[in-house]
């Protein structure tokens, strides 16, 4: 057997544990830990697994509603969609691994989120990705973009799940730390949902799926630390994915669940065998004993420490009904996957690890999870932004060119055309223009999916920026005709030990909670990713919101594109807010002023108006980045026709006032819509007309073909 290293202050620090946290470990177990025990505590108490800096604030979020079957705390959130069916979804980050090894980091991020969904009994039906990269000219950016997109595409395409939406942005704050946020959703019957809490004493604990190797050892701890110039040494902590094994694991798990053999099941994600076993035992109020000699291994000479902390992919842990063992084993043999009884549940509150006839760990299991440190970290409120000064002069078409020629706002076909968005045959609305829509197979229903955040807003004003991320997700769903159901969040921030960063997190969570309450749009799952910094430089605060909406029938979908002669109509009030706008950032590199205020009552009223009167609308899109001008161009360009907008001033055209939609309305439908708006007390303004072959903004115009060529080539030109 391997000699265990001496527990030294340097070794403790290398495991991401502070001296006072190590002292707490000594108090809990009454002795010095073994090397394996140190690794187990490190895995369970790091930021990525314990949420020790954010738990206090996450508890304040709005997480309930009549539609919510299961909120935060499980592998994914579960929401009722009627007819005995539920949608199960979550968003999670794989930021640090994707910066170190972009292809495998992004691929395994998608693989992990898919397992979170199917471990609950759901067949995945949709994926999305929210990606943030550094400046296009930065030496690493093109390499990261190429690797991340290839990783997502290769894993998702091989597994067979449609990628129906997401977002891609570029900003210098991500130069040293890209963000890869992966979303997945699946469908299950409400009476066949599986949870992770173990139950029953002396029940077999079963290892399922691929074999364990050394890839990903310490990955969760690495994901809970800042980067520095030793980043290259962290490459072994990135997992390696195999989508074909994951596809077999999906089919085997769903077959196993249908057999009635499963008591509880948990995927092995962050911290691998350690986290999955501890969470199952802790939720069920049981202890667990594991014999690592029985763990299927693909490498020789693995230590207990390596097996407990490996993050090898495509693995699950299950508590099994003992009388069903032979039937369960036969299912996994059929799918050519490993199946091994590696332990059992025990009545004592212990987590006992045996290897080579030696006890490598013997710890109080409940202390590992529910007694992990929880911090009320000092925080300072982000100071109010200085008022926006005078904006440089620019013509409207030059302003539009600045936006559509920037990779953050150019057409993203280069990205999503590498993903299979039609696999399974149920995609109704592909990526490229607002939320994606997927049919609920075998029914008349459909689900809409979107992910949204504007990090510039959150940095300037975390509270309003958090509200805006929720409001924009809500609007994107409404613009498809879907009733917003629930959301998941992925809270990406810098080092929470810095009070100003912690203040961003607190402010954003408060804003998110306020918006979710006002819009009846509960957060049912999510992920917190902190320490996104390199050499002390933090990312922009990026609390991504993944939203899910329901179309009771596809007849309710606002599916069209503008036609020649249609009127361009703005729902909502335009004041011309240019602070922190996309135009300032892209045209001049100015990031100044306050974020736009979010009136949640107006958001609610305007969303309800769109849903109530969707029959009058040919097309709809929300107004966000780039304001009216960019939204009108995108709608017109997708339809292959021009647009002529009447407003001439830059603030009206490019301002980013919230709670607004751009509607394409046939002339004959305008009277009915205007009457309904007067009754509802909402503002409706005709601002132009679709048609022709030019884009005209207040009299300044350019050929649609010329602008379209710029829009469709700028992304590839920027990332090479």
């Amino acid at each position: 057997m391997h000699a265990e290293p001496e527990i030294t202050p340097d070794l403790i620090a290398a495991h991401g544990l502070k001296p006072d946290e190590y002292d707490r470990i000594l108090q809990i177990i009454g002795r010095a830990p073994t090397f394996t025990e140190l690794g187990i505590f490190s895995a369970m108490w790091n930021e990525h697994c314990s949420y020790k800096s954010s738990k206090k604030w996450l508890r304040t979020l709005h997480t309930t509603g009549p539609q919510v079957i299961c909120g935060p705390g499980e592998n994914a959130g579960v929401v009722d969609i009627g007819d005995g069916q539920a949608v199960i979804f979550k968003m999670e980050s794989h930021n640090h691994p994707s910066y170190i090894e972009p292809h495998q980091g992004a691929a395994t991020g998608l693989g992990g989120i898919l397992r979170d969904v199917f471990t609950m009994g759901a067949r995945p039906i949709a994926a999305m990705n929210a990606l943030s990269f550094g400046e296009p000219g930065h030496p690493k950016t093109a390499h990261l973009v190429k690797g991340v997109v290839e990783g997502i595409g290769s894993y998702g395409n091989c597994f067979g799940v449609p990628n129906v939406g997401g977002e891609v942005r570029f900003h210098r704050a991500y130069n040293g730390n890209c963000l890869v946020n992966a979303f997945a959703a699946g469908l299950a019957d409400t009476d066949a949902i599986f949870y992770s809490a173990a139950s029953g004493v002396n029940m077999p604990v079963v290892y399922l799926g691929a074999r364990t190797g050394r890839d990903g050892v310490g990955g969760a701890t690495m994901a809970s630390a800042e980067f520095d110039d030793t980043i290259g040494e962290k490459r072994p902590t990135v997992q390696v994915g195999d989508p074909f094994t994951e596809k077999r694991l999906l089919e085997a798990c769903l077959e196993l669940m249908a057999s009635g053999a499963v008591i509880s099941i948990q995927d092995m994600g962050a911290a691998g065998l350690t986290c999955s076993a501890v969470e199952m035992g802790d939720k069920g109020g049981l202890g667990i004993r594991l014999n690592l000699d029985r763990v299927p291994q693909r490498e020789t000479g693995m230590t207990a420490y390596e097996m407990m902390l490996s993050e090898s992919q495509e693995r699950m842990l299950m508590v099994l009904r003992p009388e069903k063992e032979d039937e369960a084993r036969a299912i996994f043999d059929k799918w050519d996957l490993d199946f091994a009884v590696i332990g059992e549940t025990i009545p004592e509150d212990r987590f006992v690890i045996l290897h080579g006839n030696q006890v490598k760990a013997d710890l109080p299991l409940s202390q590992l999870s529910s007694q992990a440190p929880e911090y009320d970290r000092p925080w300072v409120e982000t100071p109010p932004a200085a008022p926006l000064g005078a904006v440089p002069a620019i013509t409207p078409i030059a302003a539009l060119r600045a936006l559509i020629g920037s990779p953050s706002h150019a057409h993203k076909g280069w990205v999503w055309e590498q993903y299979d968005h039609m696999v399974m045959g149920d995609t109704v609305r592909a990526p490229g223009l607002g939320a994606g829509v997927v049919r609920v197979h075998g029914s008349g229903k459909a689900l809409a999916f979107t992910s949204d955040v504007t990090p510039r807003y959150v940095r300037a004003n975390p509270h309003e920026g958090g509200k805006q991320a929720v409001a924009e997700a809500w609007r994107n769903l409404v613009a498809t005709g879907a009733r917003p159901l629930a959301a998941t969040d992925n809270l990406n921030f810098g080092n929470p030990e810095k009070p100003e960063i912690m203040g961003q997190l607190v402010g954003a969570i408060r804003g998110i909670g306020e918006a979710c309450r006002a819009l009846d749009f509960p957060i049912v799952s999510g992920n917190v990713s902190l320490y996104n910094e390199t050499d002390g430089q933090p990312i922009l605060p990026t609390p991504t919101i993944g939203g899910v909406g329901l179309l009771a029938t596809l007849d309710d979908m606002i599916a069209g594109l503008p036609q020649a002669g249609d009127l361009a109509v703005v729902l909502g009030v335009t004041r011309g807010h240019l602070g922190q706008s996309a135009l300032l950032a892209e045209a001049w590199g100015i990031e100044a002023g306050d974020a736009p205020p979010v009136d949640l009552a107006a958001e609610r009223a305007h969303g309800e108006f769109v849903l109530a009167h969707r029959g009058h609308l040919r097309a709809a899109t929300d107004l966000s980045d780039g304001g009216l001008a960019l939204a009108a161009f995108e709608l017109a360009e997708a339809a292959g026709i021009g647009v002529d907008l009447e407003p001439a001033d830059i603030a009206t055209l490019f301002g980013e006032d919230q709670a607004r939609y751009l509607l394409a309305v046939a002339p004959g439908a305008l009277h009915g819509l205007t009457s309904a708006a007067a009754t509802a007390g909402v503002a409706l303004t005709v601002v132009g007309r679709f048609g022709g072959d030019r884009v005209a903004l207040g009299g300044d115009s350019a050929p649609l073909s010329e602008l379209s060529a710029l829009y469709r080539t700028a992304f590839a030109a920027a990332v090479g």
Side-chain angles (χ1 to χ4, degrees), residues 12-17 38-39 41-49 96 216-226 234 237 270-271 305 309 311 531:
I12 293 163
H15 280 74
L17 292 164
L38 182 71
F41 272 107
S42 164
M44 292 306 302
W45 285 14
N46 66 58
E47 197 72 58
H48 192 77
C49 293
H96 284 50
V217 172
T221 301
M222 174 272 292
S224 304
E226 293 182 42
K234 296 182 171 73
T237 61
Y305 177 96
L309 298 190
E311 293 183 8
Y531 296 95

Side-chain angles (χ1 to χ4, degrees), residues 79 112 142 149 158 188-189 231 275 381 388 393 430 482 502 506-507 578 664 708:
V79 178
V149 172
C158 295
D189 293 335
I231 183 172
C275 196
E381 201 158 326
L388 180 65
M502 194 64 209
V506 171
L578 284 173
S708 180

